[in-house]
Amino acid sequence: MSSGEDGRPVADELDGGNPWTKLARQHWPGGRKSKKVKPEVIKNEIWDVLENEGFQFRSLLILETLQLLESYLWPGYSDSATNHHVLLIALILTVKNRESLPVWDTFSDDGERFSSFFRRVLSMSIDNSLAIPVRTQILSFLICAFQSLDNGLVRKECAPLVSISLWQNLSSEASRQRKLEQHPQLKKAWRAAAKRYDAANEETQAKLRFDRAWLYTLLLDFLSRLQESGTEALVYCERFLEFLTDLESQLPTRRYVNTLIKDLNLLALVRLSPIFNGDENGLFRDLSVLFRHFVNFPIDDHTGVQHTQTRSSEEHSASLARLQKTSLKYFKEKLTILALSNYAAIDKREELEAHLDPLSDEELASLAGLLGFRTKYPPASKVEVGRELLLEVLLSAHERRRTFREVMMDLSLLPTEAALYEPALLRNEQYDGSRSLAIPKLNLQYLSVADFLWRAFVLYRCESFFEIRKDMEETVKRLQPQEAQPPNSVRFGGFSRMAIPVSKPAIIEVAPPKVGQDKPAFVRAEIGLDVSRLADSVRQEWESLRQDDVVYLLAVDPTDITGHLTNGHALHANSRDFGFRILRAAEVERVLDEDGRVLRDTLDGEVNGYKRRPRLRRLLVKLDSTTYRFDNARKGKGEPDVYESINLIVRRKGRENNFKKILETIKSLTLSDIPVPEWLQEVFLGYGDPTGANYTKLSNRLNELDFRDTFLDWEHLVESLPGRVVQQVASDESSIRPPYRLHDIASMNCEAVRPSKKRRRDDDGVSQPTQKSIKVSTYQPLNNGPYPTDAPKTNRVRFTPAQVEAIMSGTQPGLTVIVGPPGTGKTDVATQIISNLYHDFPSQRTLLIAHSNQALNQLFQKITNLDIDERHLLRLGHGEEDLETDVSYSKHGRVESFLDNRGHYLAEVDRLAADLEALGAHGNSCETAGYFNSVYVIPAWTKFWDNAKSVNASASDIIASFPFHQYFSNAPQPLFPQDASKEQVLDTARGCQRHIERIFTELEDIRPFEILRTSRDKANYLLIKEARIIAMTSTHAAIRRQEIADLGFHYDNVIMEEAAQITEIENFIPLALRNPKGGQLPLQRVVLCGDHLQNSPVVQNLAFRQFANLEQSLFLRFVRLGVPTITLDHQGRARPSIAELYKWRYPTLKNLPNVLTGSEYLRANAGFRYEYQFVDVSDYKGTGESQPTPHYFQNLGEAEYAVAIYQFMRLLGYPASKISILTTYAGQRALIRDVLGHRCAKNRLFGLPRIVTTVDKYQGEQNDYIILSLVRTTRVGYLRDIRRLTVALSRARLGLYILGRRAVFETCYELREAFAKLFQRPNQLLLTTGEMFSTARLLEDEVEATEMAGVEHLGQYVYEMTKAKIESLKVGGKPLPAIEETPEVRRVDEEEEEGEGMVGDVVEDEEEDRDIDGVE
């Protein structure tokens, strides 16, 4: 079998059909570790072959898959290992990094040997005898290392290389002294480094000399390479610029490196180099621009404080002043004009160059030296200091540079054909790892919040334009543009529901520019849409375009584009290659009918009972005014009017097309310099103490907390606080019932947090407290009234100690990071935190965020079951309709609920008035009700309590004086029990008073809705005043951020569910949904719930995923930084045996009692020998996996097998709602749905399963029985990402049946732990006979089983069972069962129909599904 379509190895090769496999079998067979390494094997049979191939990635990947590192190279490594041995280890590590595999785990227990290996690599990196391609590979390894500073072993080796000792290499002692005097701590650090060197022995001194000279030597070598020509030198220099950019983009590595880079005048040397000025070296130029951005980033390299605009201007002015003073002092005759000019006249490159032109070469060199610039270089650098270099140094140092914010202001948010086919963007698409990319990376640390936002903006813009270009190319391809008559006209031979041919847009209004601008304020155009031939469903999609939706206007040429398209991916850099030469974006204002009326106000008439088919729709749009001004200027120069040639309008689906609003949000945050809460600032940026935001380190931590219904009883309280002595404050033993209030807890866990000196990650379990005693008090809950609905809803979950610690931390101020392995109840924990905050801090508001509507609805569903007043709940965005509640929690639903409640409560007021015999229309409005309360109700209660508090008043006297007997006549009787004590009677009366007070409190809250007139005003009032728990998706927050903040929305707490699935920018935006107050965001708490060992955000583009690390979540970054985490450690979802399949990922994971003793967990699965099994599915009809279109993977054999298992289960009586079918690819999902539709959908014996979806979409979900199709038969594919496998294996509660190709998955080193357990059982499905759901057979019972030889065998088995079932029903005269109601299996995925989506959302084409096979 040939290699895969992207050059990756396939199963047959790894099974023995490849020379590398044969080599592995000879020297490290079966992955067994071999400490006897033969240097000749490494040199002759591995290294030489790889070098001759040019280090082909495919060969390296095969060797990595064959465990060359783990089984041969590392076990056999020693100080005497050859250079080729060391280089091979470095090469394999870079492969692991590119494939997003664990890189450093192999070395975790052997720090001494790792240090030896790392020093060897450093030595070879500056060895000029090595070939340039080899040194380029070493650079890739170093980049990987400096991106992994969270690893202790790596950090220990890298940190000395970028320490203050680097300053030994500055051009002069004077330059160094100037730097040391800038900050007192610099002198201290310099003296400490000198003392450390002086106190060291000779061997250590040699090491220290190497450390401080290593980077300097590399830089000098880089300067010499800049003068060379050839591809090898170019690739090396590109990679080196990437390396330097990485060093500059993180403060710990930048702090001293930036000074050395500026001292070497590196930017000027790069700009003047032959490589930079080569016509074909666009990537190198783009990389240098990115490098320059970080070198000149406005930040104090030593304190990490970002410079304000004023500070930057002052520093620039100071440099110009120094230039003028030096010029006047030493070159008065020639530079007098320069010295006396104002700053604005000399901070432009051309003008300053003209001023310096009179100086001779010697004088120019003297001026540069006097200003502190380096004018001499070591011979190794091959730098010749001439006039051109000196001028460039002076000009680049003193010219006014545009700030990154000014550059961002000029970037268009709407695409044109030039932006979509920009060479830099195309390079991102064609990325294969062999070359660098000129895009910023998301690192462990950021220079500032603005730096993070700038990187996010650039990456999100690139990702959005990439997706737009794919959609445009795919749409044009479907339309099949062809030449028509008259010449140069176009006819479309195909169809796409996303596009309509149009005539040129009519420009109907161009508004004058605003003050200070040169572009029109807005440009309005009208476009006619011929909808007469569209199907109703397609026409309705066009008619449902909303205000601000972006549409695309194309000028399409009759071009043969078939040779240029590959699944929508560009192979050339010209839009004409794809059939369109012009693209302009526009924003929808309104959709009008053919008569010009707003569409929602029109009704289509009917003639003879038939609805008239609409013929025309008019679209009012706003064109991008900046682009329009540019087009108009070109038109004025005699070039064609681009709008005359527009002949096609294209739309995109809502979830994919909200990029502009999100870009606007990120842009506005960047330009506004939005702060992070002060207590979170350093942790967010990745500096300082990683425990600094934990409540144990905050001064405002709470000393007393009411945990209300968190603990079910005293025993639960005691067992939830292990290692502590629980002391009861009250001595009365009868008072130990919940609720409980904990005292003196401010320092309870202070010593339990991991030390901050070194970031430990070796224990992710629950921190063990050191405080040995806790004081606990209890109290009698308030009586809220006599009605059953007055009784509060209480928690019924018996939380584990880890869950209690998470709840405790989440209720305290600060940052809480909760790691929730599958089935450990992190949603229950989040819900309880919300409940505690709601009751303990009634003045605070909480914002709930989740990645998907599905996850948000699950959380919201549980919140509604707690004791939280529904009037304080609000759900924003689409998806609320999927909540399984009888009440609407959307904005308008809440307003309607308030108005509905108004009628109910006013009726209660009338009942009260009747009881008090108060005449009048008291229940007419909220206002009259308030007067009634003041005049009648409150005085009645006052009179009652005066009598009740009388010393002589008996229980019967109090009952007799109670004024509301008639009102409470519909409450459970008797209201006051006959034998009730005085205290009991008073308690009942207090409850009645609270019930009545609540009526008037609610009416007072409803009163503004009587006054406000418009529904919009009512909804906004609800958001900013009434709601206390507000839920929305991260995407909705990004889209509506400015609108929400401008309303004055405020909140105190943020809780994010599935935070590990949310990209960093999506994590950040919810923190900034309100405007700063006093320069700060007054957030009290941030709680992140998630699991970084499960799926990360999905990013389809390989460059953004692997190179830019766009799939990084804030949750994962915090974990890597060593921020304290609380890991939930008991699962209550799956059988213990199924949990063992993924428990190796969670060493501390245990089982809750319910899965150990519950009857459903003890019983076997009817009809199956095992509760889980891997079924080896061979080729079906001679075919395994297939690709009908690129990246659209299917496997008919597994699809038929999955459906056959489902049919078998249904015939045994398994409920369809208890079965889910999952697969790893969208193509297979579509195929399984097709097979189900053909065999089961209309058959009453079967029906449809609960859901058929992909593994990625099913995270956070579960079902009793899971059928999982792995699809691939040639190689593992993206399932090699262990996080996806963890999700796939952890969805089942009672039964898991996996269909795949054993030969493929048993060769994967990363997956060996899970598949080793699966492969312990037979490869063929084993079924039992004589059982129906649910069986009484126990799991451990031995039973005879029938082996299914393949899909044909199982299909025949099911066919015969079906016939027998039908015959038995006929004989018994029974009707066929009704089809069980399960969620509809729709072509559009079930998870989100919100019309929203950000980077990382899996978006699939409506007309042709696309797979997400990340690495492939």
Side-chain angles (χ1 to χ4, degrees):
M1 187 178 295
S2 63
S3 64
E5 67 280 350
D6 60 355
R8 279 176 161 73
V10 296
D12 288 356
E13 292 177 301
L14 299 176
D15 199 34
N18 184 281
W20 297 120
T21 306
K22 296 174 182 177
L23 185 71
R25 288 180 174 176
Q26 183 179 352
H27 297 287
W28 62 96
R32 292 196 296 271
K33 295 183 178 180
S34 173
K35 293 188 176 182
K36 294 181 180 180
V37 175
K38 299 177 180 179
E40 61 274 14
V41 172
I42 287 179
K43 172 66 169 66
N44 301 329
E45 300 188 45
I46 302 179
W47 178 262
D48 287 349
V49 177
L50 290 173
E51 190 171 31
N52 291 334
E53 293 178 349
F55 304 104
Q56 285 187 8
F57 181 70
R58 181 171 170 275
S59 293
L60 290 170
L61 186 58
I62 292 176
L63 288 171
E64 191 281 323
T65 306
L66 292 171
Q67 304 172 36
L68 173 65
L69 173 67
E70 295 84 357
S71 300
Y72 193 67
L73 294 178
W74 186 242
Y77 174 80
S78 65
D79 291 342
S80 61
T82 65
N83 283 350
H84 298 111
H85 191 153
V86 175
L87 288 170
L88 280 173
I89 294 176
L91 284 174
I92 298 300
L93 291 176
T94 58
V95 172
K96 285 182 174 290
N97 184 57
R98 276 181 59 177
E99 294 294 291
S100 302
L101 301 173
V103 179
W104 311 107
D105 290 358
T106 306
F107 315 105
S108 58
D109 299 327
D110 205 343
E112 187 174 343
R113 279 204 305 153
F114 176 77
S115 180
S116 167
F117 155 72
F118 200 90
R119 305 297 296 185
R120 292 279 300 275
V121 175
L122 292 177
S123 299
M124 283 186 279
S125 68
I126 55 176
D127 184 355
N128 285 322
S129 66
L130 293 177
I132 294 181
V134 176
R135 295 187 64 188
T136 304
Q137 296 291 342
I138 294 175
L139 267 182
S140 297
F141 168 80
L142 292 173
I143 289 170
C144 171
F146 276 93
Q147 287 286 309
S148 305
L149 296 180
D150 56 309
N151 184 284
L153 287 175
V154 179
R155 186 170 62 250
K156 181 181 177 182
E157 302 301 326
C158 291
L161 304 174
V162 291
S163 69
I164 197 172
S165 299
L166 280 175
W167 287 5
Q168 289 280 0
N169 305 293
L170 296 183
S171 58
S172 66
E173 181 67 27
S175 297
R176 182 161 52 249
Q177 284 302 319
R178 281 197 301 270
K179 278 295 179 184
L180 292 175
E181 290 171 0
Q182 290 181 357
H183 294 281
Q185 64 268 31
L186 291 177
K187 288 185 177 181
K188 183 178 179 181
W190 179 256
R191 288 194 297 267
K195 288 181 181 178
R196 188 164 54 250
Y197 179 82
D198 294 338
N201 57 34
E202 188 174 339
E203 181 182 353
T204 305
Q205 284 184 344
K207 179 181 180 297
L208 293 174
R209 285 195 298 273
F210 177 87
D211 288 346
R212 71 193 186 195
W214 174 78
L215 183 59
Y216 181 65
T217 306
L218 265 183
L219 286 167
L220 294 181
D221 178 73
F222 170 65
L223 293 179
S224 69
R225 300 289 177 193
L226 287 174
Q227 313 305 318
E228 298 179 5
S229 59
T231 303
E232 290 182 350
L234 173 63
V235 173
Y236 176 85
C237 291
E238 289 171 352
R239 193 67 76 180
F240 196 86
L241 271 186
E242 179 193 343
F243 172 62
L244 292 181
T245 303
D246 285 353
L247 294 183
E248 288 280 358
S249 63
Q250 298 188 98
L251 192 59
T253 53
R254 171 196 180 91
R255 182 167 282 123
Y256 305 112
V257 170
N258 194 40
T259 300
L260 179 60
I261 285 175
K262 288 184 175 179
D263 179 79
L264 285 169
N265 303 318
L266 199 63
L267 290 175
L269 289 166
V270 167
R271 183 167 181 168
L272 296 176
S273 66
I275 288 183
F276 180 90
N277 293 287
D279 293 338
E280 302 298 322
N281 302 338
L283 173 57
F284 184 83
R285 285 191 289 274
D286 291 343
L287 283 165
S288 67
V289 171
L290 183 63
F291 176 54
R292 187 183 304 119
H293 163 83
F294 281 110
V295 169
N296 294 324
F297 194 84
I299 190 174
D300 188 310
D301 292 338
H302 309 292
T303 64
V305 177
Q306 182 176 329
H307 294 168
T308 62
Q309 185 68 37
T310 302
R311 170 76 182 276
S312 297
S313 298
E314 289 174 351
E315 288 194 350
H316 177 61
S317 299
S319 69
L320 292 175
R322 188 165 56 250
L323 172 64
Q324 289 181 320
K325 290 178 182 177
T326 304
S327 301
L328 189 61
K329 183 175 181 180
Y330 296 99
F331 307 99
K332 184 175 182 180
E333 293 182 2
K334 295 184 177 182
L335 299 182
T336 301
I337 297 177
L338 183 152
L340 299 179
S341 298
N342 61 62
Y343 293 157
I346 61 173
D347 67 353
K348 298 178 180 61
R349 174 174 284 264
E350 297 79 9
E351 296 174 356
L352 183 56
E353 185 175 4
H355 283 298
L356 295 175
D357 189 59
L359 295 180
S360 66
D361 293 355
E362 292 76 13
E363 289 172 328
L364 206 58
S366 176
L367 175 61
L370 290 169
L371 291 172
F373 295 106
R374 181 188 287 264
T375 57
K376 294 181 181 179
Y377 290 83
S381 67
K382 300 180 182 178
V383 173
E384 296 181 4
V385 180
R387 183 178 186 86
E388 186 181 21
L389 175 59
L390 293 171
L391 264 177
E392 180 61 34
V393 169
L394 291 171
L395 295 176
S396 59
H398 295 97
E399 67 178 336
R400 183 188 180 278
R401 294 183 293 267
R402 299 182 70 203
T403 67
F404 70 96
R405 288 193 174 96
E406 291 172 335
V407 174
M408 177 183 283
M409 283 290 292
D410 291 341
L411 284 176
S412 173
L413 304 184
L414 292 174
T416 64
E417 75 285 351
L420 293 185
Y421 290 90
E422 187 181 354
L425 198 61
L426 294 178
R427 282 196 295 267
N428 298 339
E429 184 177 343
Q430 297 159 4
Y431 174 75
D432 61 2
S434 61
R435 302 281 288 269
S436 298
L437 290 177
I439 54 176
K441 298 178 183 178
L442 299 186
N443 296 334
L444 267 177
Q445 300 159 322
Y446 302 107
L447 300 178
S448 66
V449 175
D451 171 44
F452 160 70
L453 290 169
W454 175 82
R455 299 190 207 191
F457 176 84
V458 172
L459 292 174
Y460 185 74
R461 181 175 179 269
C462 290
E463 171 76 359
S464 300
F465 283 13
F466 162 75
E467 295 293 340
I468 291 170
R469 188 176 69 250
K470 283 202 306 181
D471 287 345
M472 295 304 107
E473 292 173 3
E474 183 65 25
T475 300
V476 173
K477 178 185 177 182
R478 290 179 180 279
L479 288 170
Q480 302 173 18
Q482 301 166 4
E483 190 166 0
Q485 293 298 327
N488 297 324
S489 61
V490 182
R491 60 177 295 271
F492 296 100
F495 171 77
S496 172
R497 66 191 304 145
M498 311 305 289
I500 297 178
V502 296
S503 301
K504 65 178 184 180
I507 309 297
I508 59 177
E509 185 177 4
V510 179
K514 295 180 180 178
V515 176
Q517 294 184 351
D518 57 358
K519 64 179 182 180
F522 61 85
V523 181
R524 184 173 288 123
E526 183 178 280
I527 305 169
L529 305 181
D530 181 1
V531 297
S532 60
R533 292 185 294 175
L534 296 180
D536 287 343
S537 59
V538 179
R539 173 176 54 79
Q540 289 165 6
E541 290 172 5
W542 283 94
E543 291 175 345
S544 62
L545 286 171
R546 296 176 294 184
Q547 186 175 2
D548 297 330
D549 280 352
V550 178
V551 293
Y552 307 87
L553 309 177
L554 277 66
V556 178
D557 287 333
T559 306
D560 180 14
I561 62 173
T562 56
H564 302 297
L565 287 173
T566 305
N567 196 31
H569 292 268
L571 301 178
H572 299 270
N574 194 324
S575 63
R576 291 178 181 270
D577 293 336
F578 304 94
F580 64 93
R581 54 187 172 83
I582 299 295
L583 182 143
R584 294 292 180 265
E587 295 178 84
V588 174
E589 279 197 335
R590 290 191 299 276
V591 182
L592 309 176
D593 66 7
E594 52 196 10
D595 298 322
R597 295 176 298 180
V598 177
L599 195 62
R600 64 174 180 271
D601 296 334
T602 64
L603 292 174
D604 289 328
E606 293 187 358
V607 179
N608 297 328
Y610 293 94
K611 183 179 291 187
R612 180 173 61 86
R613 176 179 289 274
R615 298 186 58 81
L616 182 66
R617 292 290 181 251
R618 301 182 186 276
L619 205 60
L620 280 184
V621 300
K622 287 189 299 184
L623 301 176
D624 182 29
S625 55
T626 302
T627 306
Y628 180 81
R629 181 179 67 85
F630 174 75
D631 293 335
N632 229 21
R634 290 176 57 192
K635 181 182 176 182
K637 296 177 181 178
E639 297 188 31
D641 184 354
V642 297
Y643 299 98
E644 292 284 338
S645 59
I646 298 294
N647 56 10
L648 186 70
I649 183 171
V650 181
R651 63 183 173 88
R652 300 171 73 218
K653 288 191 290 185
R655 286 192 61 228
E656 309 165 21
N657 203 38
N658 47 41
F659 70 96
K660 182 176 183 289
K661 292 182 179 179
I662 297 169
L663 282 174
E664 284 176 341
T665 294
I666 304 173
K667 184 175 181 178
S668 66
L669 289 173
T670 309
L671 298 177
S672 65
D673 202 14
I674 195 81
V676 169
E678 188 176 4
W679 54 269
L680 187 60
Q681 174 94 9
E682 286 194 355
V683 174
F684 177 82
L685 294 178
Y687 308 130
D689 183 359
T691 69
N694 187 270
Y695 77 92
T696 58
K697 297 295 184 74
L698 300 181
S699 60
N700 63 335
R701 59 181 178 269
L702 303 171
N703 196 41
E704 178 181 310
L705 274 176
D706 185 353
F707 282 87
R708 301 182 61 81
D709 57 351
T710 303
F711 305 105
L712 303 186
D713 49 48
W714 181 262
E715 182 184 359
H716 183 206
L717 170 65
V718 173
E719 68 188 24
S720 297
L721 303 171
R724 303 184 182 101
V725 177
V726 181
Q727 297 180 346
Q728 185 181 353
V729 174
S731 58
D732 183 6
E733 292 297 324
S734 64
S735 64
I736 63 174
R737 293 177 298 177
Y740 300 112
R741 185 179 286 117
L742 273 61
H743 305 267
D744 300 327
I745 61 174
S747 59
M748 187 169 67
N749 284 335
C750 286
E751 301 301 323
V753 178
R754 299 171 184 153
S756 60
K757 186 175 180 181
K758 295 296 181 184
R759 301 168 187 177
R760 292 165 32 191
R761 284 165 196 80
D762 52 351
D763 179 17
D764 284 334
V766 179
S767 304
Q768 292 300 315
T770 57
Q771 184 167 316
K772 295 301 180 183
S773 64
I774 295 178
K775 294 181 180 179
V776 178
S777 64
T778 185
Y779 59 91
Q780 180 65 36
L782 296 177
N783 185 334
N784 288 321
Y787 296 94
T789 54
D790 292 327
K793 302 174 185 176
T794 57
N795 163 58
R796 300 181 182 275
V797 178
R798 197 173 188 86
F799 293 112
T800 66
Q803 289 175 317
V804 168
E805 183 179 355
I807 293 169
M808 188 179 299
S809 177
T811 310
Q812 288 273 11
L815 172 66
T816 299
V817 180
I818 303 171
V819 179
T824 52
K826 60 180 178 291
T827 304
D828 290 323
V829 169
T831 304
Q832 190 62 33
I833 292 173
I834 294 165
S835 177
N836 288 355
L837 293 176
Y838 175 82
H839 291 286
D840 291 350
F841 307 96
S843 63
Q844 293 188 6
R845 313 177 82 203
T846 300
L847 179 64
L848 308 184
I849 298 292
H851 173 62
S852 66
N853 283 306
Q854 177 181 325
L856 193 62
N857 286 345
Q858 287 177 349
L859 181 61
F860 213 74
Q861 192 80 42
K862 293 193 174 186
I863 293 173
T864 60
N865 294 328
L866 294 180
D867 185 30
I868 294 177
D869 195 330
E870 66 178 36
R871 65 196 172 102
H872 293 142
L873 296 174
L874 179 62
R875 169 76 163 82
L876 296 182
H878 298 272
E880 185 271 339
E881 58 272 11
D882 296 329
L883 273 171
E884 297 176 5
T885 59
D886 296 329
V887 182
S888 173
Y889 292 97
S890 66
K891 279 198 295 187
H892 297 292
R894 290 286 77 222
V895 170
E896 291 173 3
S897 176
F898 268 84
L899 298 178
D900 290 343
N901 292 340
R902 172 181 177 274
H904 167 72
Y905 289 127
L906 290 178
E908 294 296 295
V909 170
D910 286 335
R911 288 183 59 231
L912 282 168
D915 194 2
L916 296 175
E917 298 181 351
L919 300 178
H922 302 294
N924 187 51
S925 68
C926 296
E927 183 178 11
T928 57
Y931 291 140
F932 170 73
N933 183 41
S934 302
V935 175
Y936 290 95
V937 178
I938 292 177
W941 281 117
T942 302
K943 180 179 179 182
F944 167 75
W945 287 114
D946 288 342
N947 295 332
K949 292 178 181 178
S950 172
V951 177
N952 299 324
S954 63
S956 58
D957 294 336
I958 295 172
I959 294 173
S961 64
F962 186 71
F964 299 103
H965 282 288
Q966 180 181 342
Y967 175 78
F968 287 105
S969 60
N970 60 351
Q973 299 296 322
L975 186 62
F976 299 98
Q978 293 182 354
D979 56 349
S981 65
K982 180 178 179 180
E983 188 55 42
Q984 289 174 326
V985 170
L986 290 175
D987 183 61
T988 301
R990 292 190 191 98
C992 293
Q993 184 177 12
R994 291 189 188 100
H995 177 88
I996 292 176
E997 286 175 345
R998 190 161 58 251
I999 293 174
F1000 291 102
T1001 301
E1002 297 242 7
L1003 285 172
E1004 186 63 28
D1005 289 339
I1006 295 170
R1007 186 176 176 183
F1009 296 96
E1010 287 186 338
I1011 301 171
L1012 297 170
R1013 293 304 176 193
T1014 69
S1015 58
R1016 183 182 183 86
D1017 288 342
K1018 293 176 182 178
N1020 290 339
Y1021 177 85
L1022 178 71
L1023 172 64
I1024 62 177
K1025 292 292 185 182
E1026 191 63 32
R1028 288 180 49 201
I1029 298 176
I1030 303 97
M1032 67 184 77
T1033 64
S1034 55
T1035 303
H1036 186 86
I1039 293 173
R1040 304 295 181 191
R1041 187 264 162 192
Q1042 195 62 51
E1043 176 185 335
I1044 292 173
D1046 289 346
L1047 288 173
F1049 177 61
H1050 67 278
Y1051 54 97
D1052 306 276
N1053 315 302
V1054 176
I1055 297 178
M1056 295 190 196
E1057 177 72 321
E1058 297 290 1
Q1061 278 192 285
I1062 303 176
T1063 59
E1064 272 207 87
I1065 187 61
E1066 291 177 283
N1067 284 129
F1068 177 83
I1069 291 174
L1071 305 182
L1073 275 185
R1074 61 178 297 176
N1075 292 321
K1077 184 179 181 181
Q1080 290 292 325
L1081 288 177
L1083 277 181
Q1084 296 288 315
R1085 298 167 184 82
V1086 175
V1087 180
L1088 304 180
C1089 304
D1091 183 5
H1092 58 291
L1093 300 181
Q1094 295 188 61
N1095 279 346
S1096 62
V1098 176
V1099 179
Q1100 297 185 27
N1101 185 288
L1102 186 66
F1104 301 123
R1105 183 174 66 249
Q1106 285 190 0
F1107 184 88
N1109 202 21
L1110 189 55
E1111 68 174 0
Q1112 175 176 270
S1113 65
L1114 182 64
F1115 187 96
L1116 174 60
R1117 188 164 69 87
F1118 278 168
V1119 171
R1120 291 181 63 196
L1121 286 168
V1123 171
T1125 61
I1126 301 170
T1127 302
L1128 309 184
D1129 56 1
H1130 284 76
Q1131 72 89 20
R1133 172 188 294 171
R1135 297 183 192 269
S1137 57
I1138 294 178
E1140 285 293 325
L1141 296 175
Y1142 52 88
K1143 185 180 176 182
W1144 59 280
R1145 295 281 283 159
Y1146 309 96
T1148 63
L1149 188 62
K1150 306 177 186 66
N1151 297 303
L1152 286 172
N1154 69 300
V1155 300
L1156 297 173
T1157 59
S1159 59
E1160 62 179 347
Y1161 293 98
L1162 297 177
R1163 291 196 302 266
N1165 295 338
F1168 293 93
R1169 172 64 184 86
Y1170 299 109
E1171 74 280 17
Y1172 70 84
Q1173 194 175 358
F1174 181 93
V1175 181
D1176 190 12
V1177 181
S1178 57
D1179 287 352
Y1180 180 63
K1181 297 182 179 179
T1183 304
E1185 70 176 54
S1186 61
Q1187 286 189 79
T1189 58
H1191 306 293
Y1192 191 70
F1193 290 97
Q1194 295 184 333
N1195 186 321
L1196 181 58
E1198 288 186 18
E1200 292 282 5
Y1201 214 127
V1203 173
I1205 293 177
Y1206 168 72
Q1207 290 177 303
F1208 171 74
M1209 296 176 74
R1210 291 290 289 132
L1211 290 171
L1212 294 186
Y1214 284 86
S1217 60
K1218 300 292 185 182
I1219 307 170
S1220 294
I1221 302 179
L1222 305 184
T1223 179
T1224 50
Y1225 290 90
Q1228 184 73 349
R1229 176 189 63 188
L1231 182 59
I1232 293 173
R1233 288 176 175 174
D1234 288 344
V1235 177
L1236 281 168
H1238 178 68
R1239 302 192 188 282
C1240 303
K1242 297 181 181 180
N1243 191 320
R1244 294 188 182 183
L1245 289 177
F1246 304 120
L1248 294 173
R1250 176 174 179 79
I1251 198 171
V1252 180
T1253 189
T1254 59
V1255 171
D1256 284 350
K1257 290 291 188 181
Y1258 208 58
Q1259 179 165 336
E1261 292 290 300
Q1262 64 182 36
N1263 210 346
D1264 288 0
Y1265 307 97
I1266 297 293
I1267 303 169
L1268 173 63
S1269 170
L1270 302 182
V1271 185
R1272 305 306 299 273
T1273 59
T1274 58
R1275 60 178 182 273
V1276 175
Y1278 83 163
L1279 201 64
R1280 193 179 185 189
D1281 186 337
I1282 311 173
R1283 296 171 297 184
R1284 281 196 171 90
L1285 180 67
T1286 303
V1287 176
L1289 297 179
S1290 59
R1291 301 305 95 197
R1293 293 179 64 244
L1294 305 175
L1296 174 64
Y1297 301 97
I1298 304 173
L1299 310 174
R1301 185 65 58 88
R1302 175 168 180 162
V1304 171
F1305 293 96
E1306 68 181 349
T1307 61
C1308 185
Y1309 177 77
E1310 289 74 27
L1311 310 182
R1312 67 193 186 283
E1313 293 281 352
F1315 281 100
K1317 291 182 173 62
L1318 289 168
F1319 293 153
Q1320 289 173 3
R1321 294 183 172 177
N1323 287 343
Q1324 301 302 325
L1325 184 64
L1326 295 181
L1327 303 180
T1328 60
T1329 58
E1331 292 181 333
M1332 294 293 290
F1333 179 84
S1334 74
T1335 181
R1337 173 167 60 92
L1338 298 179
L1339 204 58
E1340 63 272 12
D1341 290 349
E1342 292 293 333
V1343 62
E1344 291 187 5
T1346 302
E1347 181 179 287
M1348 296 292 105
V1351 62
E1352 295 89 348
H1353 186 186
L1354 179 59
Q1356 183 63 29
Y1357 193 81
V1358 169
Y1359 173 72
E1360 293 173 358
M1361 285 182 64
T1362 306
K1363 284 178 60 178
K1365 180 82 171 180
I1366 294 174
E1367 289 298 325
S1368 66
L1369 290 173
K1370 287 181 179 179
V1371 171
K1374 298 179 181 178
L1376 288 173
I1379 295 180
E1380 183 178 343
E1381 289 291 331
T1382 60
E1384 180 186 0
V1385 183
R1386 296 168 291 182
R1387 183 161 182 79
V1388 181
D1389 200 274
E1390 301 83 348
E1391 182 182 10
E1392 286 195 58
E1393 290 300 298
E1394 182 172 3
E1396 303 175 357
M1398 284 192 68
V1399 174
D1401 286 335
V1402 181
V1403 179
E1404 295 173 22
D1405 189 52
E1406 190 176 60
E1407 301 164 49
E1408 177 183 3
D1409 286 328
R1410 295 195 188 108
D1411 264 337
I1412 295 139
D1413 186 357
V1415 224
E1416 301 162 319

